[in-house]
Short mmCIF file of all heavy atoms in Angstrom, two decimals:
data_model
loop_
_atom_site.label_atom_id
_atom_site.label_comp_id
_atom_site.label_asym_id
_atom_site.label_seq_id
_atom_site.Cartn_x
_atom_site.Cartn_y
_atom_site.Cartn_z
N THR C 1 -30.94 23.29 7.46
CA THR C 1 -30.84 24.75 7.38
C THR C 1 -29.39 25.18 7.23
O THR C 1 -29.11 26.20 6.64
CB THR C 1 -31.38 25.36 8.65
OG1 THR C 1 -30.72 24.81 9.78
CG2 THR C 1 -32.91 25.08 8.80
N THR C 2 -28.45 24.32 7.70
CA THR C 2 -27.03 24.66 7.64
C THR C 2 -26.19 23.43 7.26
O THR C 2 -26.35 22.42 7.87
CB THR C 2 -26.54 25.23 8.97
OG1 THR C 2 -27.35 26.33 9.37
CG2 THR C 2 -25.10 25.71 8.89
N ILE C 3 -25.34 23.59 6.28
CA ILE C 3 -24.31 22.62 5.95
C ILE C 3 -23.07 22.98 6.75
O ILE C 3 -22.44 24.02 6.48
CB ILE C 3 -24.00 22.56 4.48
CG1 ILE C 3 -25.22 22.23 3.68
CG2 ILE C 3 -22.94 21.48 4.17
CD1 ILE C 3 -25.91 20.86 3.99
N THR C 4 -22.71 22.17 7.76
CA THR C 4 -21.64 22.57 8.65
C THR C 4 -20.25 22.24 8.14
O THR C 4 -19.30 22.94 8.51
CB THR C 4 -21.84 21.94 10.06
OG1 THR C 4 -21.94 20.53 9.89
CG2 THR C 4 -23.11 22.45 10.70
N SER C 5 -20.12 21.16 7.37
CA SER C 5 -18.80 20.79 6.84
C SER C 5 -18.94 19.88 5.64
O SER C 5 -19.91 19.09 5.53
CB SER C 5 -17.95 20.13 7.92
OG SER C 5 -18.45 18.87 8.19
N ILE C 6 -17.99 20.07 4.71
CA ILE C 6 -17.88 19.20 3.55
C ILE C 6 -16.41 18.89 3.35
O ILE C 6 -15.55 19.77 3.41
CB ILE C 6 -18.46 19.89 2.29
CG1 ILE C 6 -19.92 20.23 2.43
CG2 ILE C 6 -18.22 19.00 1.06
CD1 ILE C 6 -20.48 21.00 1.24
N SER C 7 -16.11 17.61 3.18
CA SER C 7 -14.74 17.21 2.95
C SER C 7 -14.67 15.99 1.98
O SER C 7 -15.68 15.33 1.76
CB SER C 7 -14.07 16.81 4.31
OG SER C 7 -14.71 15.72 4.84
N GLY C 8 -13.48 15.85 1.44
CA GLY C 8 -13.30 14.73 0.52
C GLY C 8 -11.85 14.56 0.16
O GLY C 8 -11.04 15.54 0.26
N SER C 9 -11.46 13.40 -0.30
CA SER C 9 -10.10 13.16 -0.71
C SER C 9 -10.06 11.99 -1.68
O SER C 9 -10.98 11.17 -1.72
CB SER C 9 -9.19 12.90 0.48
OG SER C 9 -9.57 11.66 1.12
N VAL C 10 -8.98 11.92 -2.46
CA VAL C 10 -8.82 10.82 -3.38
C VAL C 10 -7.28 10.57 -3.45
O VAL C 10 -6.45 11.49 -3.39
CB VAL C 10 -9.35 11.17 -4.77
CG1 VAL C 10 -8.64 12.33 -5.40
CG2 VAL C 10 -9.24 9.94 -5.73
N LYS C 11 -6.93 9.29 -3.55
CA LYS C 11 -5.55 8.92 -3.56
C LYS C 11 -5.40 7.68 -4.45
O LYS C 11 -6.11 6.73 -4.36
CB LYS C 11 -5.00 8.62 -2.16
CG LYS C 11 -3.51 8.30 -2.10
CD LYS C 11 -3.08 8.02 -0.65
CE LYS C 11 -3.17 9.32 0.16
NZ LYS C 11 -2.58 9.13 1.49
N GLU C 12 -4.41 7.79 -5.36
CA GLU C 12 -4.19 6.67 -6.29
C GLU C 12 -2.69 6.49 -6.50
O GLU C 12 -1.97 7.46 -6.63
CB GLU C 12 -4.87 6.90 -7.64
CG GLU C 12 -4.91 5.71 -8.57
CD GLU C 12 -5.81 5.92 -9.75
OE1 GLU C 12 -5.36 6.56 -10.73
OE2 GLU C 12 -6.99 5.49 -9.75
N GLN C 13 -2.27 5.22 -6.52
CA GLN C 13 -0.86 4.95 -6.72
C GLN C 13 -0.69 3.71 -7.51
O GLN C 13 -1.37 2.67 -7.33
CB GLN C 13 -0.14 4.79 -5.34
CG GLN C 13 1.35 4.56 -5.45
CD GLN C 13 1.99 4.47 -4.06
OE1 GLN C 13 1.33 4.57 -3.02
NE2 GLN C 13 3.32 4.32 -4.01
N GLY C 14 0.25 3.73 -8.48
CA GLY C 14 0.51 2.60 -9.33
C GLY C 14 1.97 2.15 -9.26
O GLY C 14 2.86 2.99 -9.15
N ILE C 15 2.18 0.85 -9.31
CA ILE C 15 3.57 0.30 -9.32
C ILE C 15 3.60 -0.73 -10.48
O ILE C 15 2.75 -1.64 -10.58
CB ILE C 15 3.89 -0.36 -7.99
CG1 ILE C 15 3.83 0.65 -6.84
CG2 ILE C 15 5.28 -1.04 -8.04
CD1 ILE C 15 4.06 0.02 -5.46
N VAL C 16 4.65 -0.65 -11.27
CA VAL C 16 4.84 -1.54 -12.43
C VAL C 16 6.24 -2.16 -12.32
O VAL C 16 7.21 -1.48 -12.05
CB VAL C 16 4.72 -0.82 -13.76
CG1 VAL C 16 4.95 -1.78 -14.97
CG2 VAL C 16 3.32 -0.18 -13.92
N SER C 17 6.31 -3.47 -12.51
CA SER C 17 7.60 -4.15 -12.33
C SER C 17 7.81 -5.18 -13.47
O SER C 17 6.89 -5.86 -13.90
CB SER C 17 7.64 -4.96 -11.05
OG SER C 17 7.48 -4.04 -9.91
N PHE C 18 9.04 -5.24 -13.93
CA PHE C 18 9.51 -6.22 -14.86
C PHE C 18 10.71 -6.95 -14.23
O PHE C 18 11.54 -6.32 -13.60
CB PHE C 18 9.96 -5.64 -16.22
CG PHE C 18 8.89 -4.91 -16.98
CD1 PHE C 18 8.65 -3.58 -16.73
CD2 PHE C 18 8.12 -5.61 -17.92
CE1 PHE C 18 7.63 -2.90 -17.44
CE2 PHE C 18 7.10 -4.94 -18.62
CZ PHE C 18 6.87 -3.58 -18.35
N PHE C 19 10.76 -8.28 -14.40
CA PHE C 19 11.88 -9.00 -13.76
C PHE C 19 12.23 -10.24 -14.48
O PHE C 19 11.41 -10.80 -15.24
CB PHE C 19 11.52 -9.37 -12.26
CG PHE C 19 10.27 -10.15 -12.14
CD1 PHE C 19 10.30 -11.55 -12.19
CD2 PHE C 19 9.02 -9.51 -11.93
CE1 PHE C 19 9.10 -12.29 -12.06
CE2 PHE C 19 7.85 -10.27 -11.76
CZ PHE C 19 7.88 -11.60 -11.85
N GLY C 20 13.44 -10.69 -14.28
CA GLY C 20 13.92 -11.94 -14.87
C GLY C 20 14.90 -12.68 -13.95
O GLY C 20 15.64 -11.98 -13.21
N ARG C 21 14.87 -13.97 -13.95
CA ARG C 21 15.80 -14.77 -13.06
C ARG C 21 16.30 -15.98 -13.82
O ARG C 21 15.48 -16.68 -14.45
CB ARG C 21 15.04 -15.16 -11.77
CG ARG C 21 15.93 -15.89 -10.80
CD ARG C 21 15.14 -16.54 -9.71
NE ARG C 21 14.33 -17.64 -10.19
CZ ARG C 21 13.19 -18.07 -9.61
NH1 ARG C 21 12.75 -17.47 -8.56
NH2 ARG C 21 12.57 -19.10 -10.17
N LEU C 22 17.57 -16.21 -13.72
CA LEU C 22 18.21 -17.38 -14.29
C LEU C 22 18.92 -18.22 -13.24
O LEU C 22 19.73 -17.65 -12.50
CB LEU C 22 19.22 -16.94 -15.38
CG LEU C 22 20.07 -18.08 -15.94
CD1 LEU C 22 19.22 -19.07 -16.74
CD2 LEU C 22 21.22 -17.52 -16.82
N ASN C 23 18.52 -19.50 -13.12
CA ASN C 23 19.24 -20.44 -12.25
C ASN C 23 19.93 -21.49 -13.12
O ASN C 23 19.36 -22.07 -13.99
CB ASN C 23 18.21 -21.18 -11.36
CG ASN C 23 17.63 -20.29 -10.31
OD1 ASN C 23 18.26 -19.36 -9.81
ND2 ASN C 23 16.35 -20.55 -9.93
N TYR C 24 21.22 -21.61 -12.79
CA TYR C 24 22.05 -22.55 -13.57
C TYR C 24 22.85 -23.42 -12.58
O TYR C 24 23.46 -22.90 -11.64
CB TYR C 24 22.99 -21.87 -14.52
CG TYR C 24 24.03 -22.78 -15.16
CD1 TYR C 24 23.67 -23.71 -16.16
CD2 TYR C 24 25.38 -22.77 -14.69
CE1 TYR C 24 24.61 -24.55 -16.68
CE2 TYR C 24 26.31 -23.63 -15.27
CZ TYR C 24 25.92 -24.52 -16.28
OH TYR C 24 26.84 -25.34 -16.81
N ALA C 25 22.82 -24.73 -12.77
CA ALA C 25 23.64 -25.64 -11.91
C ALA C 25 24.39 -26.62 -12.77
O ALA C 25 23.90 -27.09 -13.81
CB ALA C 25 22.72 -26.40 -10.96
N PHE C 26 25.64 -26.92 -12.37
CA PHE C 26 26.52 -27.84 -13.12
C PHE C 26 26.95 -29.01 -12.29
O PHE C 26 27.59 -28.78 -11.18
CB PHE C 26 27.72 -27.09 -13.72
CG PHE C 26 28.68 -27.98 -14.33
CD1 PHE C 26 28.44 -28.58 -15.59
CD2 PHE C 26 29.95 -28.24 -13.75
CE1 PHE C 26 29.35 -29.39 -16.20
CE2 PHE C 26 30.85 -29.09 -14.37
CZ PHE C 26 30.59 -29.69 -15.56
N ASN C 27 26.64 -30.18 -12.71
CA ASN C 27 27.13 -31.43 -12.17
C ASN C 27 26.88 -31.57 -10.62
O ASN C 27 27.64 -32.20 -9.92
CB ASN C 27 28.65 -31.52 -12.37
CG ASN C 27 29.17 -32.95 -12.32
OD1 ASN C 27 28.40 -33.88 -12.56
ND2 ASN C 27 30.46 -33.11 -12.01
N GLY C 28 25.84 -30.96 -10.13
CA GLY C 28 25.47 -31.06 -8.74
C GLY C 28 26.46 -30.47 -7.79
O GLY C 28 26.44 -30.72 -6.59
N LYS C 29 27.36 -29.60 -8.32
CA LYS C 29 28.39 -28.98 -7.43
C LYS C 29 28.39 -27.46 -7.49
O LYS C 29 28.61 -26.85 -6.47
CB LYS C 29 29.79 -29.44 -7.91
CG LYS C 29 30.00 -30.95 -7.85
CD LYS C 29 31.38 -31.27 -8.36
CE LYS C 29 31.62 -32.81 -8.38
NZ LYS C 29 33.00 -33.11 -8.91
N TYR C 30 28.11 -26.88 -8.68
CA TYR C 30 28.27 -25.43 -8.82
C TYR C 30 26.91 -24.82 -9.26
O TYR C 30 26.21 -25.45 -10.07
CB TYR C 30 29.33 -25.11 -9.85
CG TYR C 30 30.61 -25.88 -9.64
CD1 TYR C 30 30.90 -26.97 -10.50
CD2 TYR C 30 31.46 -25.64 -8.59
CE1 TYR C 30 32.01 -27.77 -10.32
CE2 TYR C 30 32.62 -26.40 -8.42
CZ TYR C 30 32.89 -27.44 -9.29
OH TYR C 30 34.03 -28.19 -9.10
N SER C 31 26.64 -23.68 -8.76
CA SER C 31 25.34 -23.07 -9.12
C SER C 31 25.51 -21.51 -9.30
O SER C 31 26.44 -20.91 -8.71
CB SER C 31 24.27 -23.32 -8.02
OG SER C 31 24.68 -22.76 -6.78
N LEU C 32 24.67 -20.98 -10.15
CA LEU C 32 24.65 -19.55 -10.40
C LEU C 32 23.18 -19.08 -10.43
O LEU C 32 22.36 -19.74 -11.08
CB LEU C 32 25.31 -19.28 -11.78
CG LEU C 32 25.05 -17.87 -12.38
CD1 LEU C 32 25.78 -16.80 -11.55
CD2 LEU C 32 25.49 -17.82 -13.83
#
């Protein structure tokens, strides 16, 4: 006979990432 309450929600989130990594080592002594 009576609708006492109506509720609703929606939530959306996006994350986009690009990355690069370079490891360099010389003669077992130096690294970058």
Side-chain angles (χ1 to χ4, degrees):
T1 57
T2 304
I3 301 298
T4 56
S5 68
I6 298 176
S7 63
S9 67
V10 62
K11 184 179 291 187
E12 190 170 82
Q13 182 175 2
I15 299 176
V16 178
S17 301
F18 297 89
F19 56 88
R21 184 192 68 206
L22 172 65
N23 289 327
Y24 170 74
F26 173 70
N27 202 26
K29 301 178 183 179
Y30 315 105
S31 62
L32 165 70

